[in-house]
Amino acid sequence: HRTVTLRRQPVGGLGLSIKGGAEHKVPVVISKIFKDQAAEQTGMLFIGDAIIQVNGINVESATHEEVVHLLRNAGDEVTITVQYLREAPSFLKLPLGSPGPSSDHSSGTSSPLFDSGLHLNGNSTNTAPSSPSSPIANEPKYEKRWLDTLSVPLSMARISRYKTGTDKLRSNAFEVLALDGVSTGILQFYTAQESADWLRAMSTNISDLTLQNMQMANKCCSPSDQVIHMGWVNERLEGTDSCQLYKFKFLALKGSSFYIFSTPPVSTLDWVRAEKVYNLCEVLFKIHKLWLADDCWLQANLYLGIHQDFDLEDQRPYCFSVMVGHGKSHYFNVELGSELAVWEKSFQRAIFLEVQRTGSKTYMCSWQGDTLCFTIDFALGFTCFDSKTKNVLWKFKFSQLKGSSDDGKTRVKLLFQNLDTKQIETKELEFQDLTAVLHCIHSFIAAKVASVDPVFIDSQSIARKYMYSN
């Protein structure tokens, strides 16, 4: 509500017109404001403002004629309280002279759906305006209206530069979508540089707010269940016949798990509503594409020995996949190279922390009809023992692993070097979920290398290397 004091002028009166009234179950609203007259000079009144009070008298239930009478006979100073109606009443759009419901021109009273001018001189008791069908000579040359502003909360908001359902980037434009569904619409900029600057600024703001949300969430979590990173990505939908389609997903790295959500977790209960949850030791982060310029891209395979599963005909840069058990993968895209670098570093950190927390992972396996247990231990390396007798069959350090091969289904060959004889020993095992085991081996070895030489791990970061060099 705004309370405004008007000083009636000898010429121009209050400088406004009103429409509406309780007899038609509509509010009395300001329908016109006249240039350089009392209402316009306050700077606080606009077309579409509903009149709530006149000199302290509530008029929300008053008829049109009662409000006109109050305003015309309120003296030289009139204090009104108004409230802007965001949805403009339809009767504001009626042209002057349109017939209003139940209007009676012969009665000498004005219809609430026509303007009653309060810009006329004097305090006339005649409440009827000049003939509704004749425009008043003093009609305003312009209309002072509210310019509706849109407020889009950036906490957990997401940004899209792509045309819906396509891989086509908008030219110098993007859209911001809030968590509650409010959208900015398409924000178009004059230059690519201006668009890029605003994109980075909004992305940074969203990232900072996400960090605050993470810090608040972590206050309620144990040290072993902290949120490492979370944020929006686009996931490519598999099995689409037409062009590649993407859908917004919210990813989170928390404690021992990698989560995929359709909507962000805003409470502790939301964490059990994830679409997918994977153990961090058994996933593999892989960068697929980096754009170095508009016409040049770099394909980067960070895990040698894994066959390229995805065709890269889509036009989206900054893509990565998370490979999970049973040979399945999720393929994601982010808007900025800086986001890709953060996801790469965050996955690395989350996986290393989980390996160190877990210490070891044991998988059931078999070979030549025997049921065995295969253990990967951060301190000891690899151990294989009989599941029944618990007798250790063989064990090797991480440094003794010299190679491996697998059939892509269940069977793997591990090549170890005997420290005494320097000979290569081949150990074959069969696992129900071979992919998960291979990813776990990779996670433990990478974490072991990182604990010995962190600089080496950082030097392998494709995303950060090319982002900073550009």
Side-chain angles (χ1 to χ4, degrees), residues 100-117:
S102 71
S103 62
D104 185 358
H105 303 318
S106 63
S107 67
T109 62
S110 59
S111 165
L113 299 187
F114 292 120
D115 294 282
S116 286

PDB file of all heavy atoms in Angstrom, residues 100-117:
ATOM      1  N   GLY A 100     -21.572   0.631 -20.697  1.00  0.00           N
ATOM      2  CA  GLY A 100     -21.285  -0.207 -19.550  1.00  0.00           C
ATOM      3  C   GLY A 100     -22.542  -0.900 -19.091  1.00  0.00           C
ATOM      4  O   GLY A 100     -23.646  -0.440 -19.331  1.00  0.00           O
ATOM      5  N   PRO A 101     -22.442  -2.043 -18.430  1.00  0.00           N
ATOM      6  CA  PRO A 101     -23.608  -2.744 -17.919  1.00  0.00           C
ATOM      7  C   PRO A 101     -24.402  -1.847 -16.974  1.00  0.00           C
ATOM      8  O   PRO A 101     -23.847  -1.168 -16.116  1.00  0.00           O
ATOM      9  CB  PRO A 101     -23.007  -3.934 -17.165  1.00  0.00           C
ATOM     10  CG  PRO A 101     -21.643  -4.088 -17.736  1.00  0.00           C
ATOM     11  CD  PRO A 101     -21.202  -2.730 -18.148  1.00  0.00           C
ATOM     12  N   SER A 102     -25.680  -1.868 -17.126  1.00  0.00           N
ATOM     13  CA  SER A 102     -26.643  -1.154 -16.281  1.00  0.00           C
ATOM     14  C   SER A 102     -26.357   0.344 -16.190  1.00  0.00           C
ATOM     15  O   SER A 102     -26.680   0.968 -15.196  1.00  0.00           O
ATOM     16  CB  SER A 102     -26.682  -1.758 -14.865  1.00  0.00           C
ATOM     17  OG  SER A 102     -25.498  -1.460 -14.161  1.00  0.00           O
ATOM     18  N   SER A 103     -25.701   0.912 -17.223  1.00  0.00           N
ATOM     19  CA  SER A 103     -25.481   2.355 -17.183  1.00  0.00           C
ATOM     20  C   SER A 103     -26.737   3.061 -17.671  1.00  0.00           C
ATOM     21  O   SER A 103     -27.418   2.592 -18.573  1.00  0.00           O
ATOM     22  CB  SER A 103     -24.281   2.730 -18.062  1.00  0.00           C
ATOM     23  OG  SER A 103     -24.526   2.384 -19.409  1.00  0.00           O
ATOM     24  N   ASP A 104     -27.022   4.155 -17.055  1.00  0.00           N
ATOM     25  CA  ASP A 104     -28.228   4.895 -17.387  1.00  0.00           C
ATOM     26  C   ASP A 104     -27.849   6.334 -17.659  1.00  0.00           C
ATOM     27  O   ASP A 104     -27.659   7.121 -16.746  1.00  0.00           O
ATOM     28  CB  ASP A 104     -29.230   4.800 -16.215  1.00  0.00           C
ATOM     29  CG  ASP A 104     -30.562   5.467 -16.549  1.00  0.00           C
ATOM     30  OD1 ASP A 104     -30.669   6.018 -17.672  1.00  0.00           O
ATOM     31  OD2 ASP A 104     -31.463   5.442 -15.691  1.00  0.00           O
ATOM     32  N   HIS A 105     -27.730   6.672 -18.951  1.00  0.00           N
ATOM     33  CA  HIS A 105     -27.265   8.006 -19.296  1.00  0.00           C
ATOM     34  C   HIS A 105     -28.295   9.073 -18.965  1.00  0.00           C
ATOM     35  O   HIS A 105     -27.941  10.208 -18.752  1.00  0.00           O
ATOM     36  CB  HIS A 105     -26.904   8.061 -20.783  1.00  0.00           C
ATOM     37  CG  HIS A 105     -25.873   7.038 -21.166  1.00  0.00           C
ATOM     38  ND1 HIS A 105     -24.793   6.766 -20.392  1.00  0.00           N
ATOM     39  CD2 HIS A 105     -25.795   6.216 -22.259  1.00  0.00           C
ATOM     40  CE1 HIS A 105     -24.055   5.826 -20.968  1.00  0.00           C
ATOM     41  NE2 HIS A 105     -24.660   5.472 -22.102  1.00  0.00           N
ATOM     42  N   SER A 106     -29.545   8.726 -18.902  1.00  0.00           N
ATOM     43  CA  SER A 106     -30.586   9.720 -18.649  1.00  0.00           C
ATOM     44  C   SER A 106     -30.732  10.056 -17.181  1.00  0.00           C
ATOM     45  O   SER A 106     -31.396  11.005 -16.815  1.00  0.00           O
ATOM     46  CB  SER A 106     -31.935   9.215 -19.183  1.00  0.00           C
ATOM     47  OG  SER A 106     -32.313   8.042 -18.475  1.00  0.00           O
ATOM     48  N   SER A 107     -30.100   9.260 -16.311  1.00  0.00           N
ATOM     49  CA  SER A 107     -30.259   9.479 -14.874  1.00  0.00           C
ATOM     50  C   SER A 107     -29.353  10.579 -14.356  1.00  0.00           C
ATOM     51  O   SER A 107     -29.480  11.006 -13.214  1.00  0.00           O
ATOM     52  CB  SER A 107     -29.964   8.193 -14.100  1.00  0.00           C
ATOM     53  OG  SER A 107     -28.597   7.867 -14.224  1.00  0.00           O
ATOM     54  N   GLY A 108     -28.386  10.971 -15.155  1.00  0.00           N
ATOM     55  CA  GLY A 108     -27.458  12.007 -14.703  1.00  0.00           C
ATOM     56  C   GLY A 108     -26.343  11.464 -13.847  1.00  0.00           C
ATOM     57  O   GLY A 108     -25.581  12.219 -13.275  1.00  0.00           O
ATOM     58  N   THR A 109     -26.203  10.162 -13.734  1.00  0.00           N
ATOM     59  CA  THR A 109     -25.109   9.565 -12.971  1.00  0.00           C
ATOM     60  C   THR A 109     -24.128   8.921 -13.926  1.00  0.00           C
ATOM     61  O   THR A 109     -24.477   8.543 -15.043  1.00  0.00           O
ATOM     62  CB  THR A 109     -25.638   8.496 -11.989  1.00  0.00           C
ATOM     63  OG1 THR A 109     -26.247   7.449 -12.744  1.00  0.00           O
ATOM     64  CG2 THR A 109     -26.640   9.105 -11.030  1.00  0.00           C
ATOM     65  N   SER A 110     -22.868   8.773 -13.472  1.00  0.00           N
ATOM     66  CA  SER A 110     -21.847   8.187 -14.338  1.00  0.00           C
ATOM     67  C   SER A 110     -21.776   6.689 -14.120  1.00  0.00           C
ATOM     68  O   SER A 110     -21.963   6.202 -13.002  1.00  0.00           O
ATOM     69  CB  SER A 110     -20.496   8.826 -14.031  1.00  0.00           C
ATOM     70  OG  SER A 110     -20.156   8.615 -12.693  1.00  0.00           O
ATOM     71  N   SER A 111     -21.480   5.932 -15.162  1.00  0.00           N
ATOM     72  CA  SER A 111     -21.306   4.490 -15.040  1.00  0.00           C
ATOM     73  C   SER A 111     -19.931   4.199 -14.465  1.00  0.00           C
ATOM     74  O   SER A 111     -18.956   4.842 -14.833  1.00  0.00           O
ATOM     75  CB  SER A 111     -21.428   3.828 -16.410  1.00  0.00           C
ATOM     76  OG  SER A 111     -20.921   2.506 -16.360  1.00  0.00           O
ATOM     77  N   PRO A 112     -19.818   3.217 -13.570  1.00  0.00           N
ATOM     78  CA  PRO A 112     -18.508   2.888 -12.998  1.00  0.00           C
ATOM     79  C   PRO A 112     -17.524   2.347 -14.024  1.00  0.00           C
ATOM     80  O   PRO A 112     -16.342   2.279 -13.763  1.00  0.00           O
ATOM     81  CB  PRO A 112     -18.831   1.840 -11.931  1.00  0.00           C
ATOM     82  CG  PRO A 112     -20.186   1.350 -12.250  1.00  0.00           C
ATOM     83  CD  PRO A 112     -20.909   2.423 -12.992  1.00  0.00           C
ATOM     84  N   LEU A 113     -18.029   1.974 -15.214  1.00  0.00           N
ATOM     85  CA  LEU A 113     -17.114   1.470 -16.230  1.00  0.00           C
ATOM     86  C   LEU A 113     -16.623   2.571 -17.156  1.00  0.00           C
ATOM     87  O   LEU A 113     -15.894   2.315 -18.098  1.00  0.00           O
ATOM     88  CB  LEU A 113     -17.784   0.344 -17.031  1.00  0.00           C
ATOM     89  CG  LEU A 113     -18.202  -0.869 -16.189  1.00  0.00           C
ATOM     90  CD1 LEU A 113     -18.700  -1.983 -17.070  1.00  0.00           C
ATOM     91  CD2 LEU A 113     -17.063  -1.360 -15.311  1.00  0.00           C
ATOM     92  N   PHE A 114     -17.070   3.815 -16.934  1.00  0.00           N
ATOM     93  CA  PHE A 114     -16.555   4.964 -17.658  1.00  0.00           C
ATOM     94  C   PHE A 114     -15.698   5.800 -16.726  1.00  0.00           C
ATOM     95  O   PHE A 114     -15.811   5.718 -15.504  1.00  0.00           O
ATOM     96  CB  PHE A 114     -17.692   5.817 -18.220  1.00  0.00           C
ATOM     97  CG  PHE A 114     -18.452   5.135 -19.318  1.00  0.00           C
ATOM     98  CD1 PHE A 114     -19.808   4.884 -19.191  1.00  0.00           C
ATOM     99  CD2 PHE A 114     -17.802   4.746 -20.477  1.00  0.00           C
ATOM    100  CE1 PHE A 114     -20.500   4.244 -20.209  1.00  0.00           C
ATOM    101  CE2 PHE A 114     -18.500   4.113 -21.500  1.00  0.00           C
ATOM    102  CZ  PHE A 114     -19.856   3.868 -21.363  1.00  0.00           C
ATOM    103  N   ASP A 115     -14.864   6.637 -17.303  1.00  0.00           N
ATOM    104  CA  ASP A 115     -14.012   7.517 -16.513  1.00  0.00           C
ATOM    105  C   ASP A 115     -14.834   8.621 -15.857  1.00  0.00           C
ATOM    106  O   ASP A 115     -15.666   9.247 -16.512  1.00  0.00           O
ATOM    107  CB  ASP A 115     -12.949   8.167 -17.400  1.00  0.00           C
ATOM    108  CG  ASP A 115     -11.969   7.143 -17.936  1.00  0.00           C
ATOM    109  OD1 ASP A 115     -11.086   6.735 -17.179  1.00  0.00           O
ATOM    110  OD2 ASP A 115     -12.101   6.771 -19.111  1.00  0.00           O
ATOM    111  N   SER A 116     -14.571   8.826 -14.564  1.00  0.00           N
ATOM    112  CA  SER A 116     -15.058  10.025 -13.894  1.00  0.00           C
ATOM    113  C   SER A 116     -13.859  10.931 -13.692  1.00  0.00           C
ATOM    114  O   SER A 116     -12.945  10.613 -12.927  1.00  0.00           O
ATOM    115  CB  SER A 116     -15.689   9.672 -12.543  1.00  0.00           C
ATOM    116  OG  SER A 116     -16.952   9.072 -12.745  1.00  0.00           O
ATOM    117  N   GLY A 117     -13.877  12.078 -14.390  1.00  0.00           N
ATOM    118  CA  GLY A 117     -12.705  12.934 -14.371  1.00  0.00           C
ATOM    119  C   GLY A 117     -12.613  13.765 -13.114  1.00  0.00           C
ATOM    120  O   GLY A 117     -13.536  14.481 -12.757  1.00  0.00           O
TER     121      GLY A 117
END
